[in-house]
Amino acid sequence: MLPRRRVRRGRLLAPAVAAAVAVGLLASGTWTMLEHPGARESRAAQAPGAGAEPAGAPLDEVTEAPPERDLDATRPNVVVVMADDMRVDDLLFAPQIRRLVARRGLTFANSFSPYPLCCPARASFLTGQYAHNHRVYWHEAPYGYGSFDDSRTLATSMSEAGYRTGFIGKYLNLYGVQPSRVSGEPSHTYVPHGWDDWRGAVENPGDAGFSGGTYHYLNTPFNINGRVDDSHGGEYQSDVIGDFSVAMARRFAAGRKPFFMYVNYVAPHFGAPVEPGDIDRVLDDHGRLQDVRTPARPAWVRGRFDRLVDRGAGMPRDGGPSEADISDKPKAMRADPEPNAAERHGLRELTRQRAESIFVMDRQVARLVRTLKRTGEWENTVLAFTSDNGYFLGEHRRRSGKVRAHEPSLRVPLVMTGPGMRSGETRHDPVTTIDLSASILDLGGARPPVPADGDSRVPTMLGGDRGWDRPVLTEATHIGRGRSPGFSGPRSSIGVRTARYSLIRSRTGEHELYDLLTDPLQQRNVVRDPAYAVVLRDLEKVWWDLRNCRAAGCRPQLPESLAASAEEEARISEHYWREVGRVYGFGSGAPGQTP
C-alpha cells in the first residue's frame, strides 16, 4: 500500500520510488507513431461537409490557480476510466491519454481481460473475481445484468473505507432492460449499492416512456440517482459523459473525503445512429454476412485519420493474407475464408471510425485531468485508463469481435499515473482486470467485497517488475459443443497464459498451444508438437488446478519451468510488441513497437 500519512491535498502522497527497469514504451519512442508524416495536416482535414473541431485551450493547460485547502487526505483519490472494445494499439488515436497519463505515469505492456467480453469483464472488475465465480458468462439472457449480484462490489468496499463514490456511463449489458437481481426492481431506475453519485446509461426496456439507449451515441438516457434523464438527445454521448465526469470531480473535490470515480465510455464500441457511408455488414467469399459495424461520431472528427489508416488494424501492412494457413485453429475459426476486397475495405472503414470515436473520448479524458489539476486534486489522484476487452480487426481472419483468448482479444490497454507512479516507465508484470480491482482496494485501504481472485499490483506499480510467477486464467463462452474433460458451466474454452506460453483448451477438444517467444502472432499451434510435450504437461497441470479456482487458489505459484524473471518477461514482451509492429503497425509502427 501507499504510505498512510496526513498530507495537504495537492501535495504528493508518496515520493516516486519506482526504480528504472525499462525504457517506457510510450515515453521512449518505442510508441513513437505519435505523428505520422502528414498526421498534423490530417487532423486539420475535415470530411466533406464536416464542421470544425471545437475550439479550446490546450487540454492540459492549468489556467486557474488551485485552491488552497488543508484537508485530511491520508489516501489517494482513485479514478478509473474504461473504454469499450478498445485494443492496445488504439492508444495511437488517444494522444492526450498518452501524454498526460502514460508519459507521466506507467504503461503496462501485459494487461489482460481474462474473460474478454463486455458484461463478464465489467462484472470481474466490480467484484475482483473470475467469471466462473461471479457467474456472469455472457451479455444476453440468461446472463447479462440480471444475473449479476451487485450488492457487494468495489463501490461498497470503497464507500466503507471512507471514500465518496461515483459512477458514470455504461454499466453491464441489459442494465435498464433486465430487473435487478438484488431488489427485483426495474433496473432503469435502480441504483446499485455503494454509489454516492450514480449516472448510469440505461438500455431501453421499451415501455418506460423514454427513447434511445446505451448504444445510441446521439440519444443516450441516463439513470441519475434513480431518475431517468433523457434530455441529451442530439448530444454526442462521449461529450455528455465528459461533462458528467468534470462536474462530478468538481463536486467531490469540494469535500473532505477522498473519492473513487468509475467513468465508462461506450467508445469505440459500434453504435447508432447509422451514418452515410457506413458499411455494417459485408459478404465473405462463402456468401456469409460478416460484421463490420461502426461507432457513430461527430462531424468534426470524421476523416481525421484517413491518411494514416490505410487498412484494418489487424491486417498485415504488406497487404498479405490475414493468416495463410488456418488449419491449426478450431473448426469455427477455420470456417472463415480470407477477407476479400470488400471486407478489407470494411475493415479499413471500421478502424477509421473507431479511431475517430477514441479521439473524441481522449479529449474528454483530458478535460477530466485538467479539472483535477485546477481543483488541486491531481497530485493526490491515481488515474487509470483501460478497456473491458480487446478486439479482432482482421487477425486470424476474424473480421471483428472478441471473446476468444487470442492476443488481440485478450490484451487491453492499461496506463496509470499517480503518487509514486510518475516515472514514465513500462511495467512487464502481468495485470488482469481482477488484479486492477485488487490494486484499487489496496490503494484505498479497503477490504475486498467478496473473496478476491486477483492480486494487488501496487508493489509492481511502486517498485518495478517482480517477474511473471503466477498464471493468468482465461475463460470464454462461444460457439462450440463437446465433452472435453474438466469443463463445468457454460464455458467453452478455458486457458492458461504465462509469460511465454498460451494454452487454450476447448470443450470441443480442439486445444491450442502457442509459444509466444517464437510465434508472437499465434500462427502455429504446437499442441501436438512432440518438442512441447513437457511444456504441455506442465501447463495442463496448472490448468486442472486453476480451472475452477477461488480466492487464493487463483494465485498459485507457477512451476519453475513456466515462471519468468523480470528480465525474461521483459524480453518476451518486447519481442512480442516488435513483431506486432513489424507486421501490423501504422506509420512508423504500432504502440509498443520500434519502426
Side-chain angles (χ1 to χ4, degrees), residues 312-450:
M315 296 301 295
R317 65 198 306 179
D318 65 3
S322 168
E323 187 165 347
D325 182 1
I326 203 166
S327 60
D328 61 346
K329 298 295 187 292
K331 181 179 179 181
M333 298 180 73
R334 294 198 306 271
D336 288 327
E338 270 292 322
N340 58 35
E343 292 175 286
R344 286 174 180 256
H345 174 71
L347 281 169
R348 182 185 68 181
E349 186 61 26
L350 173 56
T351 301
R352 286 173 173 175
Q353 293 197 28
R354 283 169 51 90
E356 292 160 1
S357 71
I358 289 166
F359 187 79
V360 180
M361 173 180 62
D362 180 61
R363 290 178 59 86
Q364 297 301 330
V365 175
R367 286 182 63 211
L368 175 58
V369 171
R370 181 172 60 184
T371 299
L372 292 167
K373 289 182 176 182
R374 286 175 170 173
T375 59
E377 297 291 336
W378 179 245
E379 294 301 330
N380 197 38
T381 296
V382 173
L383 188 146
F385 178 86
T386 189
S387 178
D388 54 0
N389 51 255
Y391 207 70
F392 290 106
L393 284 174
E395 298 94 341
H396 309 304
R397 303 187 186 178
R398 308 300 289 181
R399 279 70 170 170
S400 63
K402 51 244 183 171
V403 183
R404 292 185 176 272
H406 301 92
E407 299 295 291
S409 168
L410 190 66
R411 287 183 178 269
V412 292
L414 177 60
V415 292
M416 293 182 70
T417 190
M421 307 178 198
R422 309 284 192 195
S423 62
E425 294 176 321
T426 297
R427 297 288 188 261
H428 296 281
D429 282 356
V431 182
T432 67
T433 305
I434 58 176
D435 294 335
L436 181 58
S437 299
S439 302
I440 291 168
L441 293 169
D442 194 359
L443 289 165
R447 295 179 180 274
V450 290

Side-chain angles (χ1 to χ4, degrees), residues 245-266:
S245 68
V246 166
M248 182 180 289
R250 288 173 179 158
R251 288 193 300 274
F252 283 180
R256 296 185 60 86
K257 288 185 176 182
F259 54 83
F260 167 58
M261 290 175 55
Y262 182 26
V263 182
N264 294 266
Y265 287 87
V266 170

Side-chain angles (χ1 to χ4, degrees), residues 571-587:
R571 178 169 60 91
I572 295 167
S573 173
E574 289 165 358
H575 175 62
Y576 171 85
W577 286 116
R578 281 195 301 271
E579 185 66 7
V580 169
R582 182 186 68 81
V583 175
Y584 299 118
F586 293 113

Side-chain angles (χ1 to χ4, degrees), residues 291-305:
D291 188 357
V292 288
R293 284 175 289 177
T294 56
R297 69 274 191 238
W300 65 263
V301 77
R302 296 176 191 173
R304 177 169 294 274
F305 297 104

Side-chain angles (χ1 to χ4, degrees), residues 82 84 122 145 166-178 187-192 197-205 210-230 232 235-238 240-242 244 248 262-267:
M82 184 174 286
D84 194 338
R122 290 167 186 270
Y145 172 69
F167 181 93
I168 298 170
K170 176 181 172 177
Y171 194 39
L172 270 65
N173 302 64
L174 299 183
Y175 173 70
V177 173
Q178 294 181 335
S187 56
H188 67 275
T189 55
Y190 173 74
V191 176
D197 194 350
W198 176 265
R199 295 165 188 270
V202 292
E203 295 189 42
N204 197 331
F210 60 89
S211 62
T214 301
Y215 296 97
H216 196 299
Y217 277 87
L218 291 178
N219 190 10
T220 310
F222 291 87
N223 174 347
I224 299 183
N225 298 316
R227 178 182 60 83
V228 174
D229 174 10
D230 61 350
H232 301 285
E235 298 179 57
Y236 189 67
Q237 183 191 90
S238 295
V240 177
I241 292 173
F244 283 164
M248 182 180 289
Y262 182 26
V263 182
N264 294 266
Y265 287 87
V266 170

